[in-house]
Amino acid sequence: MSGPSTYEPKTGFTKWLDTRLPIVRLAYDSFIDFPTPKNLNYWWTFGGILAVCLVIQIVTGIVLAMHYIASTKDAFASVERIMRDIDYGWLIRNIHATGASMFFLAVYIPMFRGMYYGSYKQPREMLWILGVVIYGLMMATAFMGYVLPWGQMSFHGSAVITNLIGAIPLVGPTIKTYLMGGPAIGDATLNRFFSLHYLLPFVIAGVVILHIWALHVPGNGNPTGVSVKDAKKDTVPFHPYYTVKDGFAIVVFLIVFAAFVFYFPNALGHADNSIEANPLQTPAHIVPEWYLLPFYAILRAITFDIGPIPAKLIGVALMFGSILILFVLPWLDTSKVRSMRYRPFARQMFLGFVIASIGLGFCGANDPDTLIFKFREDKLSLNYTATTGATTSEIFDDFAAAQAKLQSLPPTAGGAIEISKSGFKWLWLSQILSAYYFLYFLVILPVLGVIEKPKPRPASIADSVRKKHGSKAKTAPAGAAAPQAAE
Amino acid sequence: MSEHGSNATTANGAHAGETRRDFIHIAAATVAAGGVAAVAWPFIQQLAPAADTRALSSSEVDISKVPEGGEIRVLIGGMPFFIRHRTAAEIASAKAGDTAQLRDPATDASRLRPKKDGTLNPPILITSGTCTHLGCVPVGPSQGTVGEFGGWYCPCHGSHYDTSGRIRKGPAPSNLPIPTYEYVSDTLVKISL
């Protein structure tokens, strides 16, 4: 969408520079005069917010690296030293740790936005794919960063993840060994994770430049999904219109950010990570950080083998598949209409997708075998080996009856009384939601594009804006139309 | 090609479009790719366990110090191992398990290793300390929880192991693996990764 450059260097120096390195021209065309659809809502402000997040993480991270020691003996103590002894270390570390969560929050919202408004569709496929690449790099960076404090959850969480990689057939064990640099997570692992954790944010910054480049070729999408037809009527310059709008969104976002940093710095982390890593003792519940919980739920949803393929491998494949599927989303969605505003059925399905994704997060946080709700009151079950050799289980309402029956059994029966619960397990919910997650991409989107009859779309962005604000047509006198808009 | 001042095409004019220059391009690219691969290899292989790490991949453990009914846990190269001194009742329970329906069938005797004199030492059971499900470390007698089958219990996802370290209940697919080990003497065991 970037038309011919309108930048005119004014001073002698900028004229001289412009013929040698037209960097001011590039910035002017990209962030000042860039024609931007006039109807973008606040869901479009997260690009600026994410840029701020990346800068915050890099700046605080560089400072933390000055004090952190990547060694299994010293890592935990060095983080405690940052928190207690280094001036403002607590502040910088809290910003960095909270920043990771905020970064993911700020990346999930525009991902959902892109899915709702069809931002990934032609001609913005590369823009979307580069976004997914950034997201993947963010997950790798966050995973390695979480290992560095060398707490219990750092250690055992990374053990679970590296074991997952080991479950990949043929190459898995080799990759796992090369990843860990030894038989178990240890000094070698910690040092290479630290090195890569420092590197990857700069790789992200590089991909962000490609992402912005890919954005500036077709220009922004917009809530109507209708392409810009007349740059004069449909667009406004990025500055001041969107610098101000993005700036306001950034300020609101930073208020939330600061609230977490100063008032709830530990709300988003796990208490077990305040205990130094002990390879001989596993925490009762290993859970990843909140932003990875939906994928953890998909991993654990598979508890059954399919033919010769073991459950563990299917779980791993689906977990990675749930992310990789985003790469081909532009080709799975067959609808020509970008925005779901005009796709009445698709928007219902999308709502279901959002609920499934968030629901999977809750499934990931809960023990799969605990019950969401009970079918009946807990009873007692007596399990024993019958004289025929079969394992038998009987349900009793009260303890005395169960005890009496147990007494009557021969000692060889090996009877034992247990609490018998019956209810709806978190596991089942995660299985249902995982199924919906994949159905949405593999069945609902491809089929809906063919069978759904979309609602009429506005002729242009300018048209939709006029309609929203009540003016009938552009021939109507501006003054006459405006008062009616108040209704 | 003539604009490059070359008459290379005359050498194989019969093959339209193929020139000596193409050959040189392919050959040069091949050599470059070989060079890149040769340089890449050290950069990949440095990720593998280092010589000192590999050198620490075995350890000798004094089993006479393990109290009856208890266990000790040793880390070898960062990997946990259980050395359990089983009581007579626990050995009997492990033997009884030989005939039970097992997910990963193995007899208790097959999970022991002979001493120097060729006989087994049933009281001492040595297993890996890594749950075969997702790699957590199960709890045992030292932590006060042994699971429904008297062996170990993995608190992460609820796998129960019996007194022979065999999986009996829960999501783990297989038994606690038996590491490579040998009796150096009646009281000393050498465990290797």
Side-chain angles (χ1 to χ4, degrees):
Chain A
M1 201 203 281
S2 28
S5 178
T6 55
Y7 171 68
E8 274 178 38
K10 300 232 164 54
T11 67
F13 172 71
T14 49
K15 278 178 190 152
W16 178 86
L17 185 67
D18 198 49
T19 52
R20 287 161 179 81
L21 177 70
I23 189 166
V24 183
R25 178 180 297 275
L26 178 70
Y28 184 86
D29 293 344
S30 304
F31 304 109
I32 294 177
D33 194 40
F34 187 67
T36 314
K38 54 164 72 166
N39 59 338
L40 298 189
N41 54 31
Y42 273 103
W43 300 115
W44 259 266
T45 57
F46 284 86
I49 290 173
L50 283 164
V52 169
C53 284
L54 182 60
V55 170
I56 289 175
Q57 290 306 88
I58 288 178
V59 170
T60 51
I62 288 171
V63 172
L64 290 173
M66 294 174 186
H67 304 286
Y68 174 76
I69 303 168
S71 136
T72 54
K73 275 199 278 305
D74 301 318
F76 187 82
S78 75
V79 172
E80 286 304 303
R81 185 171 161 267
I82 290 170
M83 293 300 283
R84 291 154 192 258
D85 295 342
I86 291 167
D87 288 349
Y88 298 108
W90 60 272
L91 176 65
I92 292 161
R93 172 156 186 262
N94 280 347
I95 293 174
H96 196 73
T98 307
S101 282
M102 290 294 138
F103 207 156
F104 275 95
L105 179 72
V107 87
Y108 280 129
I109 292 171
M111 281 172 82
F112 280 123
R113 183 217 66 208
M115 289 184 193
Y116 181 76
Y117 292 115
S119 305
Y120 47 78
K121 286 186 196 177
Q122 186 276 329
R124 297 187 182 83
E125 297 95 328
M126 274 314 293
L127 176 60
W128 170 261
I129 288 170
L130 287 167
V132 180
V133 169
I134 293 171
Y135 174 55
L137 287 168
M138 279 173 63
M139 287 198 288
T141 310
F143 162 67
M144 289 191 265
Y146 195 56
V147 179
L148 302 183
W150 205 242
Q152 274 287 65
M153 216 40 101
S154 302
F155 180 86
H156 292 281
S158 57
V160 169
I161 301 293
T162 47
N163 272 316
L164 291 181
I165 293 163
I168 300 167
L170 304 175
V171 292
T174 312
I175 296 176
K176 184 182 161 189
T177 309
Y178 276 70
L179 194 65
M180 297 197 300
I185 307 269
D187 270 315
T189 327
L190 190 57
N191 275 285
R192 65 191 55 184
F193 278 14
F194 182 43
S195 168
L196 294 173
H197 181 72
Y198 203 112
L199 164 74
L200 286 186
F202 297 98
V203 177
I204 292 176
V207 183
V208 166
I209 290 171
L210 296 181
H211 190 66
I212 295 174
W213 187 7
L215 168 69
H216 283 194
V217 175
N220 288 84
N222 70 84
T224 64
V226 178
S227 300
V228 170
K229 296 200 171 105
D230 180 344
K232 251 201 167 111
K233 288 179 191 159
D234 293 344
T235 68
V236 290
F238 190 78
H239 179 76
Y241 294 95
Y242 286 108
T243 43
V244 170
K245 188 164 187 159
D246 283 6
F248 178 70
I250 288 168
V251 169
V252 172
F253 180 80
L254 288 179
I255 291 171
V256 177
F257 196 133
F260 273 106
V261 168
F262 291 105
Y263 295 98
F264 319 103
N266 298 317
L268 299 165
H270 197 291
D272 274 1
N273 226 30
S274 304
I275 304 168
E276 188 167 4
N278 178 357
L280 281 174
Q281 192 184 22
T282 307
H285 291 291
I286 296 182
V287 283
E289 291 280 81
W290 68 267
Y291 40 80
L292 300 178
L293 284 173
F295 305 106
Y296 192 52
I298 292 175
L299 165 76
R300 292 192 303 183
I302 309 302
T303 49
F304 43 85
D305 301 347
I306 299 178
I309 314 168
K312 187 165 148 185
L313 181 58
I314 303 168
V316 173
L318 287 187
M319 186 187 75
F320 286 118
S322 65
I323 298 160
L324 294 177
I325 204 167
L326 297 173
F327 281 108
V328 291
L329 174 59
W331 293 275
L332 290 173
D333 186 350
T334 52
S335 174
K336 293 275 180 286
V337 180
R338 290 201 189 98
S339 174
M340 287 194 188
R341 269 189 188 175
Y342 310 106
R343 300 182 63 194
F345 196 58
R347 68 192 294 181
Q348 315 282 332
M349 295 291 109
F350 174 78
L351 183 67
F353 176 76
V354 174
I355 292 169
S357 304
I358 295 170
L360 279 170
F362 283 94
C363 292
N366 281 283
D367 179 1
D369 286 324
T370 53
L371 306 177
I372 301 175
F373 56 85
K374 289 177 179 177
F375 293 147
R376 58 161 169 76
E377 284 296 298
D378 292 350
K379 292 182 179 179
L380 292 168
S381 84
L382 172 62
N383 305 315
Y384 61 93
T385 314
T387 42
T388 54
T391 312
T392 317
S393 179
E394 274 182 60
I395 303 288
F396 291 91
D397 280 333
D398 72 354
F399 180 69
Q403 184 75 0
K405 172 79 184 179
L406 179 62
Q407 301 292 343
S408 72
L409 291 172
T412 52
I417 297 172
E418 276 182 6
I419 295 169
S420 152
K421 291 172 189 276
S422 174
F424 195 83
K425 288 179 178 182
W426 279 102
L427 173 69
W428 300 344
L429 183 64
S430 58
Q431 288 172 341
I432 293 166
L433 297 181
S434 302
Y436 186 82
Y437 184 99
F438 284 99
L439 280 178
Y440 178 78
F441 287 118
L442 296 174
V443 178
I444 294 172
L445 282 182
V447 172
L448 267 193
V450 179
I451 63 168
E452 185 182 46
K453 189 174 180 302
K455 292 200 282 193
R457 277 155 284 149
S460 70
I461 293 172
D463 247 24
S464 88
V465 173
R466 262 201 302 277
K467 213 168 155 193
K468 192 177 166 194
H469 292 284
S471 17
K472 288 190 181 83
K474 71 175 185 177
T475 47
Q484 289 161 5
E487 57 174 296
Chain B
M1 282 300 133
S2 55
E3 70 267 29
H4 299 301
S6 159
N7 54 2
T9 44
T10 56
N12 52 4
H15 307 281
E18 285 179 31
T19 61
R20 280 167 59 183
R21 185 156 298 188
D22 288 339
F23 171 78
I24 292 166
H25 281 161
I26 293 167
T30 309
V31 170
V36 168
V39 175
W41 176 243
F43 282 88
I44 296 168
Q45 185 55 27
Q46 56 82 23
L47 290 168
D52 63 335
T53 308
R54 294 197 301 272
L56 291 172
S57 63
S58 75
S59 183
E60 289 184 355
V61 182
D62 184 357
I63 54 173
S64 66
K65 298 285 193 294
V66 188
E68 191 178 4
E71 73 173 7
I72 62 167
R73 301 178 159 207
V74 290
L75 281 176
I76 300 172
M79 301 280 274
F81 293 91
F82 298 156
I83 296 154
R84 178 132 171 197
H85 191 163
R86 303 186 291 182
T87 61
E90 284 171 344
I91 297 167
S93 147
K95 289 227 161 65
D98 289 356
T99 53
Q101 208 170 23
L102 296 171
R103 185 175 303 167
D104 182 9
T107 60
D108 188 45
S110 75
R111 296 176 59 75
L112 301 170
R113 297 288 173 267
K115 290 194 285 190
K116 279 276 177 227
D117 61 7
T119 59
L120 293 177
N121 183 16
I124 297 294
L125 177 72
I126 300 175
T127 73
S128 156
T130 308
C131 179
T132 54
H133 182 225
L134 288 176
C136 296
V137 182
V139 295
S142 320
Q143 289 76 30
T145 310
V146 290
E148 284 176 26
F149 294 87
W152 290 271
Y153 171 70
C154 183
C156 293
H157 305 98
S159 293
H160 297 257
Y161 295 92
D162 68 11
T163 50
S164 193
R166 292 172 297 207
I167 179 67
R168 298 297 287 269
K169 186 178 174 185
S174 51
N175 300 336
L176 290 178
I178 303 298
T180 310
Y181 73 90
E182 59 178 352
Y183 280 90
V184 179
S185 73
D186 276 1
T187 58
L188 207 59
V189 168
K190 185 181 177 191
I191 306 175
S192 318
L193 287 177

